[in-house]
Amino acid sequence: MRGRMPAALALVLLLSACGEPEISLEELRQQAEDGVCVLSVDADVEAGRDTWMRFYEATQAEEDAEVTLVSWYSGDPFGVSRQDRFYTYHLSFTDGVYTLTAEGAEGETVSEQYAHLLRFEEEPDVDSGARYQKVIACVLTDDADLTWREVIGNMGRSPVDGPLYIRERIVYSEYIDASEAEQP
């Protein structure tokens, strides 16, 4: 499977670089179900959970691993100019370092490195009105003591916010609603 990842990544990167999707959401779902990638639709993992778990478990055992992450964003629900789009990231773990790579706007490769991949399982605040019962999220960071509350508080901040800004990136988020949480 390791040899298939770069080829699949190149294909998806090529297709995602074109302005609008050249590959359908159904094709991406099939690729994720075949173990080629992990697919998130509107920031919620929809397919490829087993692929993610293999990657996550390997990294926790300090084994080199890699995974392709595809994030699909549906068009603007109000029909105001946004088309369906997807973005592809390649996440690798080698020699104790996580490297997240993507193709930038003009075809250049953008790469970020992190020391830790933290996993959170959190329930929403009782009065939040959330439609989910639990979120499972994995976050790349350099701070091993980062909390979920800090991740949430960091949303929308930029490096210019100075000491309030925390360098982190959510790479996996799965929202579980009440009906899913009750399944055996």
Side-chain angles (χ1 to χ4, degrees), residues 68-139:
T68 300
L69 306 168
V70 178
S71 297
W72 179 280
Y73 294 96
S74 300
D76 185 350
F78 304 105
V80 181
S81 80
R82 208 173 96 186
Q83 301 174 11
D84 289 351
R85 294 199 181 269
F86 70 93
Y87 302 91
T88 303
Y89 306 91
H90 184 73
L91 178 58
S92 63
F93 179 76
T94 306
D95 298 327
V97 176
Y98 293 91
T99 304
L100 185 66
T101 307
E103 187 171 320
E106 306 221 355
E108 78 279 1
T109 299
V110 178
S111 184
E112 301 172 350
Q113 292 189 326
Y114 297 88
H116 306 283
L117 178 64
L118 304 180
R119 186 175 191 275
F120 299 96
E121 282 194 37
E122 300 290 330
E123 295 178 6
D125 291 335
V126 175
D127 60 348
S128 71
R131 292 186 280 177
Y132 62 91
Q133 184 165 347
K134 177 171 60 173
V135 62
I136 298 170
C138 293
V139 179

Side-chain angles (χ1 to χ4, degrees), residues 24-104:
S24 71
L25 181 55
E26 286 306 314
E27 290 171 295
L28 289 171
R29 281 185 180 120
Q30 186 60 54
Q31 286 184 13
E33 289 179 19
D34 290 344
V36 173
C37 63
V38 177
L39 174 65
S40 295
V41 177
D42 297 328
D44 186 10
V45 170
E46 186 175 293
R49 288 173 186 88
D50 291 342
T51 302
W52 175 259
M53 286 309 298
R54 281 190 298 276
F55 170 80
Y56 180 78
E57 289 169 359
T59 66
Q60 298 309 292
E62 296 289 320
E63 298 171 5
D64 290 357
E66 56 187 31
V67 67
T68 300
L69 306 168
V70 178
S71 297
W72 179 280
Y73 294 96
S74 300
D76 185 350
F78 304 105
V80 181
S81 80
R82 208 173 96 186
Q83 301 174 11
D84 289 351
R85 294 199 181 269
F86 70 93
Y87 302 91
T88 303
Y89 306 91
H90 184 73
L91 178 58
S92 63
F93 179 76
T94 306
D95 298 327
V97 176
Y98 293 91
T99 304
L100 185 66
T101 307
E103 187 171 320

